[in-house]
Amino acid sequence: MTDTSTTAPLFAPTRLGSLDLPNRLVMAPMSRHRATADGVPTPIMAEYYAQRATAGLIIAEASTPNQVGYTYPGIPGLFTEAQTAGWRHVAEAVTAAGGRIFLQMEHGGRIGHPDNSGLVPVAPSPIALPGTVQTPSGQRDAPVPREMTTDDIRETVADFAAAARLAVRAGAAGVEVHSANGYLLNQFLATSTNHRTDAYGGSVPRRIRFVVEVVEAVADAIGPDRGLRISPDNLINGIAMDDADRLFPALLDALAPVGPAYLHVGYADPAAPLFGELRRRWPAPLIANPVLGRRLPLPADGGTSAAAELLAAGADLISFGRPFLANPDLVARLRTGAPLNPVRRDVSMYGGDATGYTDYPSLT
Ligand SMILES: Cc1cc2nc3c(=O)[nH]c(=O)nc-3n(C[C@H](O)[C@H](O)[C@H](O)COP(=O)(O)O)c2cc1C
């Protein structure tokens, strides 16, 4: 049973960029691998997101801004007319259901495979992901990526800006730049993946430069409605950082003049000193994604006590991933303390048809 007194702020309206949100519950981006082989969002994706339109904000699953940025099969893109048209159907469905949707832009960097993109992945440095990458023929060893040239970097920055423009043309309310969880932007930030000796590697100001350039370019392209996702404490996909306590504050300081609409902190631990430091430095809204644990089942309260702790530590909005995946009407359930559908464990969260996707029941 949910303690509704500590979570009451979740149901208060707020403003994010130029958007008015009816509540502070955000659907976290979750790749569900149901786009076509050309990265075109499919009709069932429109249905899935529309079902979750009571979220204060939906942040849609990661979309790649160019061909080489593809991570896994079934990931949508945001660089062709057909992909834009597919996203338009999604955005229209969400808007018609009364919701608001941002599209997340993610370049995989070294997390990719020629079997998925037709291209050798690119990264700050030629260091392979320790592990495998999902391909149409199963898990394959991650290839050694090609080190990005400064021309590659310039073009990639432009690709993010172009993708943001397409997102807005598709009817999305804004975009989120994905700099978390070990993908390309995170690879530039981390000492384990960035061994460059040029202007994009080495010292903290150099390692944050690419991310700052991407956010600036997106800001120039679409104005205030873009957020940035980071995950300082989610050291997955071979990410290690010697100096996170200095790098992330420096990143926020560098972004202050650009002023993204929000900062989205994945794997947010309210007791971590770095979370407090980021909150103190960041003047704009902060979305925190509570740590519910990687394994299922999820906590019996659906994460509300973790959310309450983050609100008390200064978060303005709370994002949930798997609770929204399994509960199209999560907002109503948390508001009333109704029990949550558990995440199904008999079907994969990645790929497939309507089963375990659009067939989770709502209460009404
Ligand atoms: C199926 C699945 C797909 C995910 N895909 C993305 C993604 O595309 N982009 C991203 O930033 N995070 C992604 N994540 C991470 C979630 O946004 C979230 O941070 C994580 O699930 C923890 O939140 P939760 O405990 O509420 O599920 C994904 C998580 C899951 C379970």
Side-chain angles (χ1 to χ4, degrees):
M1 185 71 185
T2 307
D3 175 358
T4 43
S5 60
T6 51
T7 53
L10 284 176
F11 308 105
T14 191
R15 199 166 170 81
L16 199 67
S18 64
L19 269 188
D20 287 318
L21 309 186
N23 62 65
R24 295 161 190 240
L25 277 160
V26 175
M27 179 174 167
M30 282 178 291
S31 298
R32 305 300 307 277
H33 300 216
R34 282 166 170 88
T36 69
D38 295 330
V40 177
T42 48
I44 201 169
M45 290 169 61
E47 183 185 346
Y48 165 77
Y49 284 114
Q51 287 173 339
R52 288 154 179 78
T54 52
L57 177 68
I58 292 170
I59 304 171
E61 64 206 89
S63 289
T64 179
N66 59 23
Q67 182 67 25
V68 75
Y70 265 109
T71 47
Y72 318 112
I75 295 289
L78 196 45
F79 58 95
T80 70
E81 284 301 323
Q83 292 161 357
T84 309
W87 277 120
R88 186 170 302 119
H89 292 307
V90 174
E92 281 171 1
V94 170
T95 308
R100 296 137 299 274
I101 187 167
F102 271 36
L103 305 189
Q104 189 189 51
M105 303 186 298
E106 168 198 272
H107 187 304
R110 70 177 186 165
I111 306 181
H113 199 281
D115 288 0
N116 297 341
S117 64
L119 298 166
V120 174
V122 295
S125 300
I127 306 166
L129 172 79
T132 59
V133 175
Q134 188 197 344
T135 73
S137 55
Q139 294 288 333
R140 306 277 309 271
D141 283 343
V144 176
R146 180 172 68 72
E147 178 174 316
M148 289 171 80
T149 63
T150 42
D151 278 351
D152 291 327
I153 290 176
R154 208 178 42 245
E155 283 163 21
T156 307
V157 168
D159 289 342
F160 272 96
R165 276 190 216 100
L166 292 184
V168 171
R169 254 182 52 203
V175 297
E176 177 171 284
V177 175
H178 191 356
S179 184
N181 302 350
Y183 296 97
L184 180 68
L185 274 67
N186 202 176
Q187 290 161 28
F188 270 88
L189 298 179
T191 40
S192 63
T193 42
N194 184 345
H195 291 187
R196 299 177 76 92
T197 54
D198 66 358
Y200 292 91
S203 65
V204 161
R206 288 170 182 234
R207 273 184 287 129
I208 65 175
R209 182 172 170 182
F210 178 60
V211 177
V212 172
E213 287 184 2
V214 169
V215 175
E216 283 173 350
V218 171
D220 285 347
I222 66 161
D225 291 316
R226 75 282 158 188
L228 176 72
R229 188 171 214 211
I230 58 171
S231 57
D233 292 316
N234 193 18
L235 300 178
I236 58 169
N237 289 323
I239 290 295
M241 228 176 265
D242 301 340
D243 48 11
D245 53 336
R246 284 194 301 119
L247 182 130
F248 285 100
L251 176 63
L252 297 199
D253 288 351
L255 290 176
V258 197
Y262 66 80
L263 181 70
H264 188 179
V265 181
Y267 222 72
D269 174 1
L274 185 55
F275 181 80
E277 179 63 20
L278 297 179
R279 175 63 288 187
R280 275 189 296 281
R281 277 180 192 253
W282 185 249
L286 189 149
I287 306 176
N289 179 220
V291 181
L292 302 184
R294 296 193 197 288
R295 294 180 187 283
L296 298 173
L298 296 172
D301 71 354
T304 44
S305 52
E309 283 174 29
L310 282 164
L311 290 170
D316 302 293
L317 300 101
I318 297 294
S319 72
F320 283 120
R322 292 161 299 170
F324 263 115
L325 181 156
N327 295 274
D329 55 347
L330 183 69
V331 176
R333 290 184 194 236
L334 294 186
R335 196 197 299 266
T336 58
L340 302 189
N341 298 323
V343 179
R344 284 179 62 163
R345 300 166 92 166
D346 57 329
V347 283
S348 169
M349 289 189 280
Y350 305 99
D353 53 22
T355 310
Y357 191 53
T358 47
D359 64 351
Y360 280 103
S362 289
L363 289 172
T364 51

